[in-house]
Amino acid sequence: MKKLLNSIVLVTAFLLPFFASAQEKPTINATVSGKVIDAITNEPLIGASVSIKGTTNGSITDINGEFSLLTGQKLPFTIVVSSVGYLKKEIVINDNKIEIKLEQDVNKLADVVVSSRRRQEAVQDIPIPISVIRGATAEDAGAFNVNRLKELVPTVQLYASNARNTTLNIRGLGSTFGLTNDGIDPGVGFYVDGVYYARPAATALDFVDIDRVEVLRGPQGTLFGKNTTAGAFNITTREASFDPTASFELSYGNYGYIQAKGSLSGPLSKKLAARISFSGTQRDGLLFNIKTQQNMNDINNLGFRGQLLYTPTDKIKITFIADVTDQKPNGYGWPVAGVVTTKRAAYRQFDAIIKDLNYKLPYSSPFERVIDLDTPSKADNQLGGASVNADIKIGNGTLTSTSAWRYWKWTPLNDRDYTGLPIFTISAGNSVHEQLSQEIRYSGKISSQLSGVVGVFGLWQDLNSDPVQTEEAGSAQWRFAQSTTSALWKTPGLFDNFGIRTTNRIRSTSLAVFSQADWSVSQKLHILPGIRYNYDKKIANFKRETYGGLQTTDAALIALKNAVYTNQAFDTEVTEGNFSGQLTLQYKINKDINSFATYSVSYKPVGVNIGGLPTASGRVLVELAEVKPEFVQHIEVGIKTKPSSNSVLNVVIFNDEIKDYQTQVQTPEPGVNRGYLANAEKVRVRGIELDGNIKINNHFILNAALAYTDGKYVSFTNAPVPLEEVGGAQAFKDISGGRLPGISKWSGSFGAEATTKGNLLGLKGNYFAALDVYFRSEFSSSPSPSQYLNIDGYALLNGRIGFRASNGISLFVWGRNLANKDYFEQLLAAPGSAGQYAGILGDPRTYGTTLRYTF
């Protein structure tokens, strides 16, 4: 925390002189005074904010609703007046004494404006199912990253055993479920200020100064640069401002939770503005490792983001953004959640093995939150980059160019067997990644009836081991690898420090041309065709070499070592080009009812296996190095309505048919580092989604979202067997008709917030109280359906209560998982398939308090 506080002080000290020098120092030679009253009751408004636009000169109304401003500016000038529960008002004043009437914010839901279609428009007018979370809403709910955000958007699924091994899905589609294989692209696009973030580890980032998060569901390849077959996260941060603004926030909670966030923004000159933001989060680990006597799975995050906004003319806007995030948790480790009896011989079962090794798990339930790991853990995750975005108004539209460079550095150390035994003593998949991207697009009106967007996109990536990835076995490995009763397995030192060093590299190129039009046939009927061409190329190099263990020339002992780790090398190059597109019909029945239907086809790019390949009869299955593109046919019908001026209700029905579904599968071979990829012949996902909100009066609002999702393998005839069938007669199984992993049939979120006017410590403002409930039904946590690796459904209750003062101060207390529900987020089979599997635990009850100041 000392590092964080020092950084905050230095940044603040550095920026304040710039902002101060950009302001003209006024000579106090005039007084403007007045009174702020309620437009209906004519009662004075206490604590209303009054400021001169474009300056830091402001005042707060007193008990009589009166204010005074000392200024050197000459009349006329503009003042900004605001008060909690009232509509903000800008007034040009010509007199030294004035009376200002503010109107109450009536019981009407304001339109949410988004930019997902490359222009500013109300979300209810867009023929795309979109969930929008405002930055302030996310901050109040404690949703400081995507994992927290999923509790507000039930169609989003996120699973992570660490930052690298992250699955981000929408409607159950997007990324492979389980450990990450770097050779495929995500199907959910992750964009921040127009820049595509290629690595799944980006979802672990703390949100820094977020304005809003738009979650688009369904394929979006004709609108966004990178192809997205399942949806997109379109995140917009707060822009640099020519009006000086600042925001600071500090939170404290149990388990040593501390979070500090802040931003400063203002002009550096008449045409140049700056904004700098920071976020730091720390929390003690929620698991205790009895082997090292340390807490594990803590949070230790620090992020900075800087912006420069240059407006040389009123038609040109250039934004430069740079950011860096550094995460250094003590983690990650997980307890053994259960043991499955496999089809192997009795002496090869987990319980028999650990009994022979005189070992016993030091806990009877994973929810004791105790672990026993003999390998020190590390999960250093650093991401950063820089981008330049230029918006140039040309004719009736805007030409946009977004150029970006980003990097990712991953330095882990894991205990892959989840026990205190020296089985897999080192698992370190070090990686470094760089990407360059360029998008150029034009969006605007072609005629009174025709508008649209056309663009080109390029993404170049280089991902490689840094400098080598290491897997190493320990002295207990012989008993887990033992597959016969031969005494040779007990040969002293046979597997001690026996491991593999892997160097790998993937260089990929993605190029695309995309376009979507909006043809207004009439005021009510719109036709929206879209088309896209993708070109993808991937070059992969893989080399794995064994080391250590007993040095011997005995062929029988060498064969035993080869049963654990072998040398392996391959090079492959794949290319693929394809056309995709969509057709949407939109019919606006009236101003309050908007219906639409969409048919689209899209491709998830060709993939390569880069984590090691399985073997059969001693032969490396090199034919599995290439993974065919995933072809998606998508149908969607929806209706967006405003039943009244204070309510919204939307319904969407969808059906996705996927051919050559890219799936992550596990293998009993420990030498296959992170499982491997395969294509399931056909998959289907269908469902229905409802979301809405209602403002009952000026003091109470309700919101809800409900999703039914049914996903299954229509045809997957050559899938790996589930954990309980390992060691049987067959290594593969026909799981056609089985359900897809990670999908709950039912999920939903419900929220309510009540507010009332009041005073606290002499400050005028609003008291508020809010409750949120998130629930999901049970789901499979295994790519091949297993009767043991299923997770029970659960519900989480979160709440907050506090006070928002009209002068920008907020103080509230909050709690998450208030019922202290024990639940799993994911179950993971251990490598080697002795039968044990680990549980990724959801957080227990957490609570704390937050103080925020914005001006």
Side-chain angles (χ1 to χ4, degrees):
M1 194 60 195
K2 184 177 180 181
K3 176 183 176 183
L4 170 64
L5 293 177
N6 288 340
S7 300
I8 294 170
V9 172
L10 287 173
V11 170
T12 305
F14 176 76
L15 282 176
L16 281 178
F18 287 93
F19 295 139
S21 64
Q23 306 303 309
E24 181 181 352
K25 295 181 180 179
T27 302
I28 302 174
N29 59 7
T31 301
V32 174
S33 61
K35 188 174 186 178
V36 182
I37 63 174
D38 186 295
I40 303 298
T41 64
N42 290 323
E43 293 181 354
L45 295 180
I46 306 169
S49 173
V50 183
S51 63
I52 300 174
K53 187 175 181 180
T55 75
T56 57
N57 191 355
S59 177
I60 301 295
T61 57
D62 61 19
I63 195 170
N64 299 313
E66 296 176 347
F67 69 93
S68 63
L69 298 170
L70 300 177
T71 178
Q73 291 188 230
K74 296 181 180 180
L75 295 173
F77 53 78
T78 302
I79 63 172
V80 181
V81 187
S82 62
S83 184
V84 175
Y86 291 82
L87 298 173
K88 182 184 291 187
K89 194 170 188 178
E90 292 190 5
I91 306 169
V92 177
I93 61 172
N94 295 282
D95 197 349
N96 286 346
K97 192 168 182 66
I98 57 173
E99 183 177 83
I100 303 164
K101 295 184 178 182
L102 291 187
E103 296 180 356
Q104 289 193 18
D105 192 357
V106 295
N107 302 338
K108 181 179 180 180
L109 286 172
D111 284 336
V112 177
V113 177
V114 298
S115 58
S116 298
R117 293 204 298 171
R118 309 310 190 184
R119 59 182 186 266
Q120 298 292 313
E121 55 189 339
V123 69
Q124 286 297 104
D125 294 335
I126 301 175
I128 301 172
I130 305 178
S131 300
V132 182
I133 306 298
R134 291 187 176 94
T137 302
E139 290 165 352
D140 286 350
F144 60 84
N145 57 26
V146 177
N147 197 32
R148 294 283 184 90
L149 192 70
K150 71 183 182 184
E151 297 172 11
L152 302 177
V153 186
T155 52
V156 171
Q157 298 90 32
L158 186 139
Y159 307 97
S161 56
N162 56 42
R164 179 202 184 109
N165 293 322
T166 298
T167 299
L168 176 62
N169 285 350
I170 295 176
R171 295 170 169 171
L173 299 174
S175 300
T176 56
F177 185 90
L179 299 178
T180 296
N181 191 307
D182 295 315
I184 63 166
D185 292 33
V188 175
F190 193 84
Y191 292 86
V192 180
D193 291 326
V195 176
Y196 175 73
Y197 287 24
R199 298 307 308 161
T203 59
L205 297 178
D206 286 0
F207 293 146
V208 180
D209 213 10
I210 295 298
D211 180 65
R212 65 183 181 275
V213 179
E214 303 165 16
V215 182
L216 291 79
R217 308 193 287 276
Q220 305 298 330
T222 60
L223 281 174
F224 286 82
K226 189 68 173 72
N227 198 20
T228 56
T229 58
F233 273 70
N234 188 33
I235 298 173
T236 303
T237 65
R238 297 180 176 109
E239 284 189 339
S241 171
F242 286 93
D243 294 326
T245 61
S247 176
F248 299 97
E249 180 180 307
L250 187 62
S251 299
Y252 288 92
N254 61 337
Y255 297 104
Y257 178 83
I258 302 175
Q259 185 177 71
K261 298 193 293 185
S263 67
L264 290 169
S265 185
L268 301 180
S269 69
K270 288 184 178 181
K271 296 182 178 180
L272 184 66
R275 187 180 194 96
I276 189 163
S277 312
F278 64 83
S279 174
T281 308
Q282 292 188 343
R283 189 195 65 189
D284 295 339
L286 301 179
L287 301 178
F288 183 72
N289 188 356
I290 62 173
K291 187 73 69 175
T292 62
Q293 294 294 299
Q294 290 181 332
N295 289 323
M296 285 189 61
N297 297 7
D298 60 0
I299 299 176
N300 187 17
N301 302 343
L302 188 63
F304 290 92
R305 188 176 189 84
Q307 295 187 49
L308 290 174
L309 173 62
Y310 179 52
T311 56
T313 72
D314 59 356
K315 292 187 176 182
I316 300 176
K317 183 175 77 171
I318 300 174
T319 305
F320 172 79
I321 300 175
D323 70 279
V324 63
T325 293
D326 197 21
Q327 300 178 324
K328 293 183 179 297
N330 182 19
Y332 289 87
W334 309 105
V336 172
V339 178
V340 173
T341 301
T342 70
K343 297 292 185 181
R344 288 175 167 175
Y347 74 91
R348 301 185 67 193
Q349 303 296 328
F350 179 77
D351 289 338
I353 293 171
I354 64 173
K355 182 179 180 181
D356 288 350
L357 295 172
N358 297 313
Y359 175 79
K360 182 179 180 181
L361 290 171
Y363 48 87
S364 57
S365 166
F367 292 104
E368 294 175 29
R369 300 187 183 271
V370 170
I371 54 178
D372 181 27
L373 305 181
D374 57 321
T375 300
S377 293
K378 182 168 65 172
D380 293 355
N381 185 43
Q382 187 178 88
L383 300 99
S387 65
V388 177
N389 188 89
D391 290 316
I392 306 170
K393 293 183 179 179
I394 300 176
N396 293 321
T398 301
L399 179 68
T400 299
S401 170
T402 304
S403 309
W405 164 81
R406 296 203 62 77
Y407 77 95
W408 171 58
K409 186 175 179 63
W410 173 245
T411 310
L413 182 60
N414 303 303
D415 190 327
R416 293 181 68 210
D417 54 73
Y418 314 126
T419 74
L421 290 168
I423 308 167
F424 296 102
T425 56
I426 296 177
S427 177
N430 297 32
S431 297
V432 63
H433 172 266
E434 283 191 272
Q435 70 172 70
L436 292 172
S437 63
Q438 175 65 57
E439 181 172 347
I440 301 173
R441 68 178 183 274
Y442 181 81
S443 175
K445 278 183 169 278
I446 300 171
S447 69
S448 60
Q449 290 183 291
L450 185 63
S451 63
V453 58
V454 59
V456 294
F457 176 78
L459 175 67
W460 298 267
Q461 300 182 69
D462 191 351
L463 173 67
N464 57 76
S465 50
D466 181 36
V468 65
Q469 298 176 347
T470 305
E471 296 282 340
E472 186 175 295
S475 59
Q477 175 59 246
W478 75 270
R479 187 61 184 87
F480 281 81
Q482 184 181 6
S483 58
T484 69
T485 57
S486 170
L488 291 177
W489 289 97
K490 299 180 181 181
T491 302
L494 182 63
F495 296 110
D496 291 10
N497 305 116
F498 178 49
I500 48 175
R501 295 188 179 100
T502 302
T503 56
N504 57 47
R505 185 181 186 187
I506 301 177
R507 287 161 289 170
S508 60
T509 300
S510 298
L511 304 175
V513 180
F514 59 96
S515 179
Q516 182 169 306
D518 186 340
W519 176 29
S520 176
V521 180
S522 66
Q523 286 188 339
K524 293 187 175 182
L525 177 63
H526 288 239
I527 299 177
L528 297 92
I531 191 169
R532 178 186 184 90
Y533 177 75
N534 288 317
Y535 170 80
D536 292 281
K537 179 180 180 179
K538 295 182 178 179
I539 302 172
N541 311 106
F542 181 87
K543 185 178 181 180
R544 185 178 74 199
E545 296 179 315
T546 60
Y547 70 91
L550 181 67
Q551 300 304 300
T552 179
T553 57
D554 188 318
L557 293 179
I558 292 173
L560 296 185
K561 291 178 68 177
N562 287 340
V564 177
Y565 290 131
T566 58
N567 296 330
Q568 189 177 118
F570 62 87
D571 300 304
T572 187
E573 179 178 323
V574 296
T575 59
E576 185 76 26
N578 50 65
F579 282 96
S580 58
Q582 71 165 54
L583 179 64
T584 297
L585 298 179
Q586 178 183 18
Y587 188 73
K588 299 180 179 180
I589 299 172
N590 55 45
K591 65 182 182 65
D592 295 325
I593 303 178
N594 177 24
S595 62
F596 58 91
T598 295
Y599 172 77
S600 69
V601 294
S602 60
Y603 287 88
K604 192 175 174 184
V606 64
V608 290
N609 270 304
I610 201 66
L613 294 174
T615 59
S617 302
R619 184 181 72 87
V620 178
L621 301 177
V622 293
E623 62 270 21
L624 296 177
E626 180 177 340
V627 184
K628 290 184 286 188
E630 189 176 283
F631 175 66
V632 180
Q633 290 189 81
H634 172 77
I635 298 174
E636 188 166 66
V637 178
I639 185 168
K640 296 183 175 184
T641 71
K642 291 183 178 180
S644 64
S645 62
N646 64 332
S647 63
V648 165
L649 179 62
N650 302 326
V651 182
V652 174
I653 300 172
F654 68 92
N655 185 85
D656 288 296
E657 305 279 348
I658 301 101
K659 180 183 177 183
D660 293 325
Y661 174 75
Q662 295 174 344
T663 181
Q664 176 86 8
V665 296
Q666 297 301 114
T667 170
E669 296 182 60
V672 181
N673 193 14
R674 288 175 178 82
Y676 66 98
L677 297 167
N679 291 108
E681 296 90 342
K682 191 173 182 180
V683 159
R684 188 208 68 208
V685 180
R686 60 178 55 162
I688 182 170
E689 301 162 353
L690 295 89
D691 65 85
N693 49 63
I694 182 170
K695 194 173 186 179
I696 295 176
N697 52 45
N698 209 39
H699 304 290
F700 195 70
I701 188 168
L702 295 171
N703 58 76
L706 180 65
Y708 171 82
T709 310
D710 179 39
K712 73 174 185 178
Y713 297 104
V714 176
S715 176
F716 194 5
T717 57
N718 201 34
V721 296
L723 180 58
E724 63 267 29
E725 296 181 30
V726 169
Q730 301 295 326
F732 296 93
K733 181 181 182 180
D734 184 348
I735 60 171
S736 302
R739 60 177 172 171
L740 290 178
I743 300 177
S744 292
K745 283 202 171 183
W746 291 99
S747 60
S749 63
F750 300 93
E753 180 169 341
T755 61
T756 184
K757 292 183 180 180
N759 294 277
L760 179 65
L761 301 176
L763 298 176
K764 179 180 172 60
N766 280 349
Y767 286 97
F768 67 92
L771 285 176
D772 300 299
V773 177
Y774 166 73
F775 75 91
R776 63 180 305 182
S777 60
E778 63 98 25
F779 62 95
S780 167
S781 189
S782 172
S784 292
S786 166
Q787 61 178 312
Y788 297 99
L789 300 182
N790 296 320
I791 295 179
D792 293 336
Y794 58 87
L796 304 177
L797 176 65
N798 306 321
R800 56 196 178 275
I801 185 169
F803 181 78
R804 299 187 186 101
S806 57
N807 66 351
I809 294 177
S810 297
L811 176 65
F812 58 96
V813 295
W814 46 265
R816 300 181 57 80
N817 190 9
L818 291 172
N820 204 27
K821 173 68 176 178
D822 287 336
Y823 67 99
F824 293 113
E825 291 197 343
Q826 197 175 353
L827 297 173
L828 296 173
S833 300
Q836 82 273 31
Y837 58 91
I840 298 177
L841 310 182
D843 289 354
R845 177 168 49 228
T846 56
Y847 51 84
T849 183
T850 295
L851 175 65
R852 182 184 302 148
Y853 180 48
T854 302
F855 64 90

